[in-house]
Amino acid sequence: MSFLREISPLVKNMFLSEKDVLLRLAAQIEAEIQQGERKDYIEVLDLSSGDLHRGGIKPITFVRQVLAACFYPALLEDDSLPLDVKERADDLLRQCDGESVDSCGITKIKHGLSKFITRRDGGVPSSPDDIFITSGSQTALMFMLKLLVQSKVPCQTGVLIPVPTYASFTLALEDHGAAIIPYYLCEEQGWTLQVEELRRALHAGRRTCNPVALYICNPGNPTGHIQSRKSIEEVIRFAAEERLFLLADEVYQSCVYREDTKFESYKKVLSEMGSTISSTVELASFNSASKGFMGECGLRGGYVELVNLDPAVKEHTRILFSTRSSPPVGGQIALDLMADPPKPGDPSFPTFSEEVQSIKNMMRKNSCRIQEVFGELPGFSCQPLKAGFFVFPCLHFPPRAIKWAKKRQMEPDMLYCLQLLEETGLHVRPGCEYGQRNDSHHIRLLHCHCCMSDVNGYLIENKLNHAGKCEFIMTFYLTDFIVVFSCQILTKLQPVMLTIVDIQINCKH
C-alpha cells in the first residue's frame, strides 16, 4: 500500500488543461505515424508554442559558439572559432572559474544587463543592484508574487491581469493564493488597454479582495499588440492614483516588426513623467533570452529589474532571491550575449547581423502575410499584428456549431483545435486557454515558423504537383458545416518564409 495517502488539495484540484489534452493527442498521432498507421499526412506541424528553434529557426551562430567554448574550454584552442568568440568565452569563464556563483546572478553579467537597459532607454540610469537574474523571466515573476501575495490575511490579495493572457500565469496566481481580477483588452481596437476598463475591473475586485498589483504584458501574448506611449502613461497614472505595484512583462520587446511602431519600456516612460510619479510608482520589469531573435528557450535565462522599491523591501527581496539555487550559468551567458552582441568591426559581426536580420525579415513577412490571409477568410477576423510571435484570430462559428460543441461539454474553439489536429496534423491552441469574452472564440498560432520541410512533406504524401502552384485540401466536419483548408504552396519560397499561405473557411448555417 502506498505510504502517500493524502495529497495537497491544490494538487487534487488541478485539471487536465486544453494544452495537455492537445499535447497528448499530438504525441499519440506522432506515434501512430511512426508505426505507419496514418496515411493522410506524414507529420504533425506544431504551431502551438513560442519556441523558435523548435519551429525550425536556426540558432544564432555567435551565441552557440560562445556557449560551446564555455562548456568545452578546449575549443578556445580551435582556430576555426572567431577571435571575438574566444575572447568572450574566456572572459565569461574567468567570472566563475568553476566556483559557485551568486544566487542573484554573476556580477559581471548584471553589469552588462544594466548597460543594456540604459542604452535601450536612451540613457535612463540602471543599477546592477536592482537586477536579479533567474532561471527564466517566469521564475522572476513567481518570486515577485511571493513578495506581493499575503496568504494569511482575512482579505485575499488581488492581482489585475489582462484577458487574454497565457494560462501558466493564471495558474501561478492560483497556486500563490491570489485573487484574479480580469480586465479585458479591447479587441475591436487592436487589443488596446483602456484605463476605463482597468477602473471597472479594480472597483469590481475591491468588493471581494485587496488589489495590490497590475500585470501588463507588452508586447502582448497572445494578441501581438503593443502599447503606445500615451497608453503606457495612462496606465502609470492609474497605478499611481490607485497605489498599485506594476508588473511589466516585456519579454517580446525585441520582436516589433511594424515600421510605424516602436517599443518603449515602462521604466523609460515612468522616468520621464515628472518626479511626483517617477519617484513613487513601484515597478518590476521582466525580460528573457527565450524570446526575441535569440529564442534560447531551453537555456532558462531571465531577469527582473526593480524600480522605486523601498530599501527595506529591496533587502527582503535580496534575501528571498538568495534562498534558491543560482540560476543556470548557460542561461546567464545567453543573457550576457543578448545584452552585448557583436559590434561593427568584430569578426563575428557580419554573420551575426545577417542572421538577426534574416529572422526579423521572416517575422515581418510572415506577420503581414498571415494577417492578409485571415483578413480574407469568411468566418475569421484578425486584428493588426505589431509584435511578438503569435497571431490570435477570432473564429465566428454558426450558432448550431456552438450548440453542438457545448452538448459535448467542450468549448467550440477547443473542439475546433482537436479536430484540426486529428484530421490535418496542424497543432494550434484554443482561445479558451487564454481567456476571452463570453461568446467569442479564437485560436493562437505561431507565425514565426520555418515550416518548409513540413509542407513539402504534405505535398509528397498527398501526391500534389511539385511545380507551380498546388492546392492541398483538408476537410473536417463540425455538426453540419465543413471547414476547408486550402494551402497554396508557391515555388521558390524563402527558406524562412511561412508557407501555409492560404486558409479558407466555408460555413454552412
Side-chain angles (χ1 to χ4, degrees):
M1 181 182 295
S2 172
F3 173 75
L4 184 62
R5 301 292 298 277
E6 294 293 331
I7 61 174
S8 167
L10 287 174
V11 177
K12 283 185 177 180
N13 292 335
M14 287 182 178
F15 61 93
L16 199 62
S17 70
E18 292 85 357
K19 173 184 176 182
D20 295 324
V21 172
L22 287 164
L23 285 173
R24 288 188 178 188
L25 178 58
Q28 176 187 329
I29 291 172
E30 287 173 338
E32 291 173 358
I33 291 172
Q34 291 177 359
Q35 296 167 8
E37 297 179 15
R38 286 183 176 257
K39 298 181 180 180
D40 296 335
Y41 48 88
I42 65 169
E43 57 188 333
V44 172
L45 179 57
D46 187 358
L47 302 181
S48 69
S49 75
D51 187 337
L52 291 189
H53 299 163
R54 184 180 180 186
I57 306 304
K58 179 186 174 184
I60 300 296
T61 301
F62 175 76
V63 174
R64 291 303 177 92
Q65 286 178 332
V66 175
L67 284 165
C70 286
F71 286 118
Y72 187 57
L75 289 175
L76 294 174
E77 307 301 324
D78 191 331
D79 292 337
S80 66
L81 288 181
L83 179 60
D84 56 340
V85 168
K86 295 180 182 180
E87 291 175 344
R88 178 64 72 87
D90 184 59
D91 184 44
L92 287 164
L93 287 169
R94 286 200 304 269
Q95 302 307 313
C96 49
D97 197 25
E99 301 174 0
S100 296
V101 297
D102 191 323
S103 56
C104 296
I106 297 171
T107 301
K108 179 188 180 298
I109 295 178
K110 291 173 65 176
H111 278 270
L113 289 170
S114 175
K115 293 177 181 178
F116 160 76
I117 293 167
T118 299
R119 288 195 306 272
R120 180 199 68 187
D121 293 340
V124 178
S126 172
S127 170
D129 293 336
D130 295 330
I131 296 173
F132 297 84
I133 298 177
T134 58
S135 55
S137 60
Q138 290 304 297
T139 301
L141 189 51
M142 298 308 103
F143 273 99
M144 294 309 301
L145 291 180
K146 284 181 180 290
L147 283 174
L148 293 166
V149 177
Q150 300 183 40
S151 56
K152 296 182 180 180
V153 291
C155 189
Q156 248 185 319
T157 300
V159 179
L160 285 89
I161 70 168
V163 176
T165 194
Y166 56 97
S168 59
F169 181 59
T170 304
L171 293 173
L173 287 171
E174 293 173 349
D175 287 346
H176 284 81
I180 296 171
I181 307 172
Y183 64 89
Y184 292 86
L185 302 177
C186 183
E187 180 173 6
E188 296 75 17
Q189 297 183 25
W191 298 107
T192 55
L193 194 167
Q194 300 179 332
V195 171
E196 295 79 8
E197 171 61 12
L198 288 178
R199 294 193 191 283
R200 180 207 63 77
L202 181 65
H203 294 157
R206 280 178 171 157
R207 300 190 191 112
T208 57
C209 66
N210 175 34
V212 301
L214 168 59
Y215 172 75
I216 306 288
C217 188
N218 182 53
N221 173 16
T223 57
H225 77 281
I226 187 168
Q227 283 183 269
S228 66
R229 182 186 177 90
K230 180 182 177 182
S231 173
I232 295 173
E233 289 176 348
E234 290 174 349
V235 171
I236 290 174
R237 289 193 188 96
F238 171 77
E241 293 168 6
E242 303 295 346
R243 296 181 61 82
L244 294 172
F245 193 108
L246 281 175
L247 301 168
D249 190 339
E250 299 176 321
V251 298
Y252 290 99
Q253 60 187 259
S254 66
C255 301
V256 179
Y257 31 75
R258 282 279 293 266
E259 292 183 359
D260 59 344
T261 305
K262 68 175 183 176
F263 169 80
E264 289 193 88
S265 74
Y266 263 77
K267 181 188 174 184
K268 179 178 186 294
V269 176
L270 174 62
S271 72
E272 298 170 352
M273 292 185 65
S275 59
T276 302
I277 290 180
S278 65
S279 63
T280 57
V281 173
E282 296 169 303
L283 166 69
S285 171
F286 306 89
N287 198 5
S288 170
S290 298
K291 309 306 178 186
F293 62 85
M294 284 185 62
E296 293 289 356
C297 292
L299 294 177
R300 313 310 305 155
Y303 71 85
V304 58
E305 182 186 24
L306 303 178
V307 180
N308 288 335
L309 257 67
D310 181 274
V313 174
K314 189 188 294 185
E315 183 57 31
H316 284 293
T317 304
R318 192 175 306 282
I319 293 171
L320 176 62
F321 276 83
S322 298
T323 61
R324 50 80 202 249
S325 299
S326 302
V329 173
Q332 296 193 61
I333 293 172
L335 286 173
D336 185 73
L337 303 177
M338 177 191 77
D340 186 19
K343 301 175 180 62
D346 293 343
S348 297
F349 180 76
T351 300
F352 172 82
S353 178
E354 181 181 346
E355 290 174 342
V356 171
Q357 194 58 49
S358 175
I359 293 172
K360 290 183 176 181
N361 288 342
M362 177 272 297
M363 289 181 179
R364 186 178 298 109
K365 290 178 182 178
N366 287 3
S367 64
C368 290
R369 183 56 186 147
I370 200 71
Q371 189 171 319
E372 290 174 2
V373 169
F374 281 123
E376 297 168 357
L377 300 180
F380 271 111
S381 63
C382 186
Q383 295 301 316
L385 290 172
K386 297 180 179 181
F389 291 171
F390 304 104
V391 57
F392 197 63
C394 183
L395 282 69
H396 305 282
F397 291 115
R400 293 180 65 182
I402 296 172
K403 184 177 179 181
W404 186 83
K406 290 187 175 180
K407 278 184 179 179
R408 286 149 182 80
Q409 298 183 331
M410 192 175 294
E411 290 295 328
D413 46 18
M414 177 59 181
L415 183 56
Y416 179 97
C417 290
L418 283 170
Q419 293 290 335
L420 182 62
L421 178 57
E422 177 70 33
E423 298 296 331
T424 72
L426 191 59
H427 184 185
V428 301
R429 295 270 191 85
C432 59
E433 179 182 335
Y434 303 92
Q436 49 197 354
R437 289 187 182 276
N438 290 337
D439 301 323
S440 71
H441 311 286
H442 300 78
I443 57 172
R444 189 195 81 163
L445 62 153
L446 176 73
H447 64 72
C448 303
H449 194 293
C450 179
C451 56
M452 189 67 174
S453 63
D454 301 276
V455 177
N456 281 344
Y458 289 135
L459 295 176
I460 295 169
E461 181 67 23
N462 290 275
K463 299 180 181 179
L464 300 176
N465 296 326
H466 62 276
K469 185 172 72 174
C470 310
E471 283 194 348
F472 174 27
I473 304 297
M474 303 176 283
T475 65
F476 72 86
Y477 295 84
L478 180 57
T479 187
D480 58 353
F481 75 100
I482 303 175
V483 181
V484 179
F485 291 85
S486 173
C487 299
Q488 296 181 330
I489 313 306
L490 306 179
T491 59
K492 298 182 181 179
L493 289 169
Q494 295 296 326
V496 293
M497 187 173 180
L498 184 67
T499 50
I500 297 182
V501 297
D502 196 8
I503 306 173
Q504 294 183 342
I505 287 191
N506 297 323
C507 298
K508 291 183 179 180
H509 293 266

